Amino acid sequence: MKFNAMFQPIEIGPMTVKNRFVVPPMGNNFANTDGTMSEQSAAYYKERAKGGFGLITIEATVVHKGAKGGPRKPCLYDDSTIESFRKVIDGCHEEGAKVSIQLQNAGPEGNAKNAGAPITAATSIPSVCGRDIPKQLTTEEVYELIKGYGEAARRAMEAGADAVEIHMAHGYLVSTFLSPRTNKRVDEFGGCFENRMRFSRLIIEEIKKTTQGKIAILARINCADEVPGGLDIHDSAAIAAYLESCGLDAIHVSRAVHIKDEFMWAPTVIHGGFSASEVEEIKRAVNIPVITVGRYTEPQFAELMVKEGRADLVAFGRQSLADPAMPKKALEERLEDMTPCIACLQGCVANMYAGNPVCCLTNPFLGHEAEPIEKTENPKKVMVIGGGVAGLSAAFIAKERGHEVTLYEAGDVLGGNMRLAAYPPGKGDITNMIRSYIHRCQKDGVKIVMNCEVTPELIKEENPDSVIIATGSKTLILPIEGIDNPAIIHGSDLLDGKRAAGKKVLVVGGGMVGCETAAFLGEQEHDVTVIEFRDTVGADVIHEHRVYLMKDFEDYGIKEITGAKVCKFYEDGVEYETADGVRHETRGYDSVILSMGFRNYNPLEEKIKDLVPETHVIGDAIRARRALDATKEAYAVASKL
């Protein structure tokens, strides 16, 4: 498929962007703690410009001193940071990309500790339980903040930026003025629509004055806040039209405030372009270019959005983390070469919130752009044992460094337990990741040997310089009476189609593994009950995923027994003990599924450590954990062989 529409240039105010591929603003925690951009920041953005993105948006940049939402947020409230931004922008310009800087005051979503000052908002309403109550800005303070946006835009222009993007979405400062849910003011900035828009209008006018029309001015808005009393698509269409009348050059349409952040960074179960219909409403309301965002991972639907006039540009957020060269690969029709984002949220969102540099499960190179993989001067013979994601990623990284690599898999299919993770409802994109790893190994020339159980004898025969043990994990079997009954079905065997469950099913284990197995069965109309030791099922599931997983529980009528310690297994149920020490039985099930997690499987390390010059263990072979840990360890080992 050719992507003709996506590779057409477009004018946004005074700048011309070479194509319709956009990197949206995403917090990455690569900046220095003093608010300057780091060498890693420059390398990160340049890599995406090199990969073909036409418009690069630098992450939310702090406009006002005392409004810093995190320790590693870039800042433009002082001239001292201009030079560091210039280095980032020059690197992107060298690769033919235009650069926009998002200007942000986090408002009630900020952090007083990081900011060193009280957080502020249109009205003193906390963003969520546990957050600081923001200080309501006085009328005079609002006018002062407007000047701050103008000065930040001037600094952006002096650094060489082609555009600035005013952050008006997600419950941040400007958003609190737009929405009647958070704006209860009775001065000229509150009340009617015109007054609630006044802050935004004056910011645009101030930026136009300080930049003299030399750079483009964009704004990011919500298509809907997704909370009662907040903005909906009808409000947002009117807001977009009003902003156009104020002289805005383009609209970037996002979605939701943070308490509904499953709409901001949708999990795996949500399809790409899920906000498309809302974006169309905005597009009909304005004549300026509209940028759409919302879990776009492949270019096919993006091409339709632009071709059909439903949007003008498409922002590939987490996908640009997973594959910075996605546009180039689309242009060259190398679609199978793309590394997909699977919306796992493990390395990006979780680290962003924690104040740590972001990383990526599917792209272990993210965060290492300043230290690119180089060809080795001393090629080694490398054996990789295990064909899960740890083994596959270690194999292609080692091969790309110039080593002679053979990967051994004991079974007849690659992917390990990660392959089975694709089976529960809404997790199919995981298969795309596994296939991309296999393809990369094959394309790089990794030799893959299937149905081969590696033994010390084979290692002696092959005489490798290095062995990477990535043998993964197996079903966790605790020392509980009856657990070894052959009637008990292991969850992995169920998902893999090796065992079938009856109509009425008890799933033992209510962590992520058990809950997703329960949803898998519920979708097939089994009568499912989950029993869990903790007081809550799915306690280890990332929030955005859990929202939809618990909806599956509701939709499929999955029942829960919590706070229950299983003491004995029967063919048709279990005996369990509650916190008060009382024992109970739940029986009468057609099938009992064991889904209490996994334990590491490492049968070779001790046997071969004296046979090979160097032995490395990665992934679940060390300890059963997240797939993110597996690919990070694969990179750490293979990049230094």
Side-chain angles (χ1 to χ4, degrees), residues 164-176:
V164 292
E165 178 179 288
I166 308 163
H167 205 331
M168 301 183 180
H170 304 331
Y172 298 123
L173 181 65
V174 180
S175 175
T176 68

Side-chain angles (χ1 to χ4, degrees), residues 422-474:
Y423 281 67
K427 292 297 189 77
D429 276 3
I430 292 174
T431 305
N432 191 8
M433 169 199 170
I434 296 165
R435 175 57 205 164
S436 74
Y437 275 22
I438 296 170
H439 172 74
R440 190 161 179 173
C441 284
Q442 292 171 335
K443 189 170 183 177
D444 287 344
V446 173
K447 181 181 178 182
I448 299 175
V449 180
M450 304 296 295
N451 298 301
C452 181
E453 188 82 43
V454 175
T455 62
E457 290 71 27
L458 178 61
I459 291 173
K460 283 182 183 178
E461 181 182 331
E462 292 295 325
N463 192 29
D465 300 302
S466 179
V467 169
I468 299 174
I469 297 173
T471 42
S473 58
K474 293 186 178 294

Side-chain angles (χ1 to χ4, degrees), residues 505-583:
V505 180
L506 177 68
V507 176
V508 182
M512 182 180 70
V513 174
C515 286
E516 291 189 346
T517 301
F520 175 79
L521 290 165
E523 186 182 54
Q524 298 169 17
E525 301 185 347
H526 291 265
D527 177 1
V528 185
T529 299
V530 175
I531 186 167
E532 164 61 19
F533 175 74
R534 288 169 287 194
D535 293 331
T536 305
V537 298
D540 59 338
V541 181
I542 291 173
H543 165 73
E544 292 82 359
H545 291 280
R546 192 174 188 277
V547 168
Y548 292 97
L549 185 57
M550 291 301 99
K551 187 176 185 302
D552 284 344
F553 269 54
E554 181 181 346
D555 291 348
Y556 303 140
I558 298 171
K559 296 173 282 294
E560 303 170 20
I561 303 172
T562 56
K565 178 183 178 182
V566 174
C567 307
K568 185 176 181 180
F569 281 82
Y570 302 100
E571 286 192 11
D572 67 340
V574 298
E575 179 183 301
Y576 64 93
E577 183 180 294
T578 49
D580 56 9
V582 177
R583 294 217 170 188

